[in-house]
């Protein structure tokens, strides 16, 4: 097999994940098509992304800026929506602002200011979700619920970014009822924070193992890697 060939049938993976999403929409009374799929392609080769793109997938999520830029350049002929979902480093904000359509992991006002200022003129505002750390563990990325009102006040006037929702990455859990708890909490936080001027329509939550639970609780975007592409290359 050529080194760059996908290790997994991306078209079959995409069909399977899309079927899970459609089934969950039906089961939980969500309008058909209301849950969008972000294909998480970190540590997957560009050829796997190209295969999924050819099968109809347009939005891809990456966690590491340098790795992503190699793939963005390799796939420049494809009109892909690139989403940054990894930890933001201050010295990478310029590249994120220039190369991505979305950021899911905003959790720092200084990063928001830099991303807004560095968003190139002529590009639409960078769409941003605020990452929320629901367990409150200091080692986890994201803002706590208590941090959010001040964060939204500070980000409100920044040109170049559009803060449009919340994202969370909970601890894995086996049971649906346990998986649903943090997703319900994120939805409730969004409902508390949303205003007519700041509707926060996006809930970025749910991955390969818990996307049904996230859809039950109102996810509008699920971020799915392994179930779509198969196992990732080691870090
Ligand atoms: C890797 C990753 C995912 C996808 O995880 P899978 O379990 O492979 O579906 C989703 N969100 C974030 C933030 C990630 O880093």
């Amino acid at each position: 097999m050529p080194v760059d060939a996908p290790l997994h049938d991306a078209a079959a993976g995409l069909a399977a994940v899309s079927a899970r999403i459609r089934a969950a929409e039906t089961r939980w009374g969500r309008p058909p098509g209301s849950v969008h799929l972000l294909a998480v392609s970190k540590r997957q080769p560009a050829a796997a992304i190209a295969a999924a793109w050819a099968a109809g997938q347009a939005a891809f999520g990456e966690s590491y800026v340098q790795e992503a830029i190699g793939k963005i350049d390799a796939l420049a002929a494809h009109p892909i929506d690139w989403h940054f979902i990894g930890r933001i480093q201050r010295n990478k904000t310029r590249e994120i602002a220039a190369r991505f359509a979305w950021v899911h992991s905003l959790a720092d006002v200084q990063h928001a200011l830099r991303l807004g200022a560095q968003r190139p003129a002529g590009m639409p505002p960078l769409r941003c979700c605020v990452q929320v750390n629901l367990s409150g563990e200091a080692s986890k990325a994201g803002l706590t619920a208590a941090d959010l009102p001040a964060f939204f006040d500070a980000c409100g006037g920044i040109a170049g970014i559009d803060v449009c929702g919340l994202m969370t990455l909970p601890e894995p859990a086996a049971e649906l009822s346990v998986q649903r708890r943090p997703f319900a909490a994120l939805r409730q936080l969004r409902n508390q924070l949303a205003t007519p001027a700041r509707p926060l329509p996006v809930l970025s939550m749910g991955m390969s193992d818990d996307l049904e639970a996230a859809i039950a609780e109102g996810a509008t975007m699920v971020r799915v890697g392994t179930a779509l592409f198969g196992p990732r290359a080691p870090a």
Side-chain angles (χ1 to χ4, degrees):
M1 196 193 300
V3 173
D4 236 2
L7 301 173
H8 187 81
D9 183 342
L14 182 61
V17 171
S18 299
R20 282 177 63 189
I21 293 171
R22 299 289 92 88
E25 285 173 342
T26 303
R27 175 168 178 199
W28 305 108
R30 304 284 311 279
S34 59
V35 181
H36 299 276
L37 171 61
L38 178 65
V40 175
S41 48
K42 66 181 183 218
R43 304 207 306 271
Q44 299 286 353
I49 300 173
W53 187 84
Q57 177 62 27
F60 292 87
E62 292 282 339
S63 301
Y64 312 99
V65 173
Q66 283 324 117
E67 178 197 326
I69 285 175
K71 290 187 265 186
I72 294 170
D73 286 340
L75 295 164
H78 300 67
I80 288 174
D81 270 340
W82 293 102
H83 294 228
F84 186 72
I85 63 171
R87 232 180 236 255
I88 298 172
Q89 291 173 276
R90 179 184 161 83
N91 64 353
K92 294 287 182 356
T93 54
R94 185 175 297 281
E95 284 162 306
I96 295 170
R99 308 301 298 263
F100 288 84
W102 284 71
V103 166
H104 290 240
S105 44
L106 186 62
D108 182 309
V109 175
Q110 294 308 317
H111 294 165
L113 289 165
R114 290 174 66 90
L115 289 168
Q118 293 168 342
R119 183 69 166 169
M123 289 180 88
L126 182 66
R127 304 201 75 190
C128 294
C129 293
V130 178
Q131 183 167 356
V132 183
N133 169 4
L134 291 162
S135 68
E137 291 166 69
S139 62
K140 290 278 158 71
L143 297 175
T144 65
D147 296 331
L148 290 172
F151 185 81
F152 275 99
D153 288 346
C155 286
I158 303 176
I161 63 171
D162 170 19
V163 183
C164 58
L166 302 180
M167 178 276 231
T168 198
L169 187 63
E171 284 298 302
E175 285 198 36
L176 184 80
S177 62
V178 181
Q179 291 175 349
R180 285 179 67 162
R181 283 180 208 147
F183 300 139
L186 197 73
R187 171 172 47 76
Q188 286 155 10
L189 271 176
R190 188 277 307 277
N191 293 349
Q192 289 163 18
L193 291 160
T195 65
R198 188 180 68 204
L200 301 177
V202 179
L203 287 175
S204 168
M205 58 190 196
M207 312 196 292
S208 290
D209 292 332
D210 56 14
L211 68 88
E212 283 83 3
I215 291 171
E217 295 297 348
T220 63
M221 204 177 298
V222 291
R223 308 178 309 268
V224 181
T226 314
L228 204 163
F229 292 114
R232 285 183 274 278

